[in-house]
Amino acid sequence: MPGVYGRGLGTEATRLIVGHGFETLRLRRISLEVCVFNARARRVYEKAGFVAEGVMRDALLWEGERVDAVLMSVLAPEWFRHRGRPEGPGKTSGGGEGASMR
């Protein structure tokens, strides 16, 4: 759809859903997997406060090839510090291990 990408809608939707999980449902942790070829989605998750935890090798069969996936998460204490707006990509307020991955 023309004009949809690059407007921050995915980031805002992610923040709203994650906020609901922590603030209404009182979850402790929210995690996800993102395929390594989906850089746009990974950036959205980082902007919403998710931190990369590790790589699951050959996690998905995509068009006949095995593809890695990155495991990412955000914890309730992190969320309540930054409300989905951390200081930088892949980092939460106060840093923390696993804040960045290559």
Side-chain angles (χ1 to χ4, degrees), residues 40-62:
R40 185 181 302 260
R42 182 166 175 182
R43 179 69 184 128
V44 164
Y45 303 139
E46 289 173 340
K47 289 193 309 185
F50 282 83
V51 175
E53 294 186 328
V55 176
M56 297 181 297
R57 300 179 301 154
D58 289 350
L60 173 71
L61 184 60
W62 182 263

Side-chain angles (χ1 to χ4, degrees), residues 11-61:
T11 301
E12 187 59 26
T14 300
R15 286 178 178 139
L16 289 170
I17 292 167
V18 173
H20 177 75
F22 289 129
E23 296 167 19
T24 304
L25 302 177
R26 297 179 176 262
L27 299 177
R28 170 73 184 159
R29 168 190 169 89
I30 298 175
S31 62
L32 58 83
E33 299 171 17
V34 60
C35 295
V36 294
F37 60 76
N38 197 344
R40 185 181 302 260
R42 182 166 175 182
R43 179 69 184 128
V44 164
Y45 303 139
E46 289 173 340
K47 289 193 309 185
F50 282 83
V51 175
E53 294 186 328
V55 176
M56 297 181 297
R57 300 179 301 154
D58 289 350
L60 173 71
L61 184 60

